[in-house]
Amino acid sequence: MRWGLSLYFLLLSALNTLSDLVSEQSTNPFIWYNLGNIHLQMQEFHKAIDDYSLAIKYEKNLAEAYYNRGLTLLFLGEKDLANSDLSKAGELGIKEAYAVIKRYINN
């Protein structure tokens, strides 16, 4: 339990830092991508999806954002949306995305 609480406070600290940064650099896709990763770790899935969407808005070719958003959507049962994001991630170079599609969407 102690490690869980420590991890929570680390994530909260990172979230606060990134939130401060986004107020200064709201169009920086990497800040939004990292916010998405923090929200995902905190199991705030819809916030993570929103963050990844903003990262993609500001950088259309951010493969990792498509991939992570796709995995999150898949976890939430949104297979069609997940398939679209994972396909785009694959097109942008994350070849593992195709394996995820094959195993979890096209099964």
Side-chain angles (χ1 to χ4, degrees):
M1 183 66 166
R2 184 169 175 224
W3 172 247
L5 193 56
S6 296
L7 179 59
Y8 174 78
F9 284 116
L10 286 172
L11 291 172
L12 196 57
S13 175
L15 184 63
N16 289 334
T17 300
L18 290 168
S19 295
D20 289 344
L21 283 173
V22 84
S23 69
E24 299 168 10
Q25 302 176 41
S26 64
T27 61
N28 184 320
F30 301 104
I31 295 172
W32 289 110
Y33 173 74
N34 286 313
L35 276 169
N37 290 339
I38 297 296
H39 282 127
L40 188 61
Q41 288 291 316
M42 296 176 83
Q43 298 184 359
E44 296 175 343
F45 302 113
H46 294 285
K47 287 182 182 181
I49 290 168
D50 291 344
D51 293 335
Y52 294 136
S53 296
L54 285 166
I56 291 165
K57 175 182 176 180
Y58 297 121
E59 176 52 66
K60 301 285 188 227
N61 294 319
L62 188 54
E64 293 83 356
Y66 285 102
Y67 185 73
N68 287 1
R69 187 174 72 176
L71 291 177
T72 306
L73 288 164
L74 184 60
F75 178 78
L76 295 175
E78 298 287 344
K79 285 189 174 186
D80 290 339
L81 294 171
N83 186 43
S84 177
D85 277 354
L86 292 168
S87 293
K88 183 67 174 181
E91 291 170 20
L92 293 171
I94 300 180
K95 301 304 178 198
E96 298 85 19
Y98 295 127
V100 172
I101 291 169
K102 183 176 179 181
R103 181 166 185 178
Y104 296 102
I105 296 176
N106 294 338
N107 55 8

